[in-house]
Amino acid sequence: MVEKKSEPRKRGRPRSFDTNAALDAAVGVFWREGYDGADTASLAAAMGLTKPSVYAAFGDKRSLFMHALQRYGATTGAEAIQAFVAAEDATSAIAAFFAALVTTQSGKRGGQGCLLACVAAQCAETMPEVKTLLADSLVAGQAHIADRLEQAVRTGELPDDYPVHRRARLMIDLMQASAIRARSGATADMLASLARENADMVLAR
């Protein structure tokens, strides 16, 4: 009688949790508490995991922070650019960009302000990987805006002499300033008023 060879046993157990949902929970903790204020126990509890499970899935706290920043950048942090790109005309695009910031920065989606501008920026000097992520994010955001504005110039929505790259940079700078104001306690109404002023500034000739 020939003995059947047993199947090799797989090491460990498959993950039984939603990675994105866990990261969204971590984003919320880091956003509200800051990097230093977010201890591993609080992160694990919010994520619905044990600390060993967090370490196994995401590494140490610093590594989890990077995962959370990347998740934020692909979701909430991308909403203003997505609204800008999706709008039908340049004027609507600029208004939509700043209106989206009111939603994402006023506390309706998590902490006030912006996880990148208000939390990650504080870690940039001691975490080179965070500094690189921030720089790349700013460059990418400005490039998306400039591309859309250049298209608007080509189609006649904006005048030929419209300073595309200066205004794209201005929009990114105003986004950062709005985040700081939100983190400092500005209400949604105050941010909405600021958003309208910022849109007018970017469109000024």
Side-chain angles (χ1 to χ4, degrees), residues 47-64:
M47 297 166 75
L49 302 173
T50 63
K51 288 199 288 185
S53 295
V54 173
Y55 295 136
F58 304 107
D60 61 12
K61 177 182 168 181
R62 181 165 174 163
S63 177
L64 174 59

Side-chain angles (χ1 to χ4, degrees), residues 15 44 59 61 132 143 157 172 181:
R15 293 180 186 174
K61 177 182 168 181
T132 298
E157 297 172 47
I172 292 296
R181 287 187 179 277

Side-chain angles (χ1 to χ4, degrees), residues 73-157:
T75 55
T76 304
E79 289 183 16
I81 292 293
Q82 290 168 349
F84 176 80
V85 172
E88 293 184 1
D89 59 78
T91 300
S92 302
I94 292 167
F97 175 85
F98 288 110
L101 293 180
V102 177
T103 299
T104 59
Q105 295 180 353
S106 61
K108 296 177 181 179
R109 295 294 180 80
Q112 290 183 297
C114 168
L115 180 64
L116 298 180
C118 301
V119 179
Q122 296 180 338
C123 306
E125 287 303 313
T126 57
M127 298 183 187
E129 67 274 30
V130 172
K131 190 172 188 176
T132 298
L133 183 147
L134 286 174
D136 290 346
S137 175
L138 293 175
V139 168
Q142 186 172 323
H144 280 303
I145 292 172
D147 286 346
R148 179 68 179 82
L149 294 179
E150 284 178 340
Q151 178 187 349
V153 170
R154 288 194 298 271
T155 59
E157 297 172 47

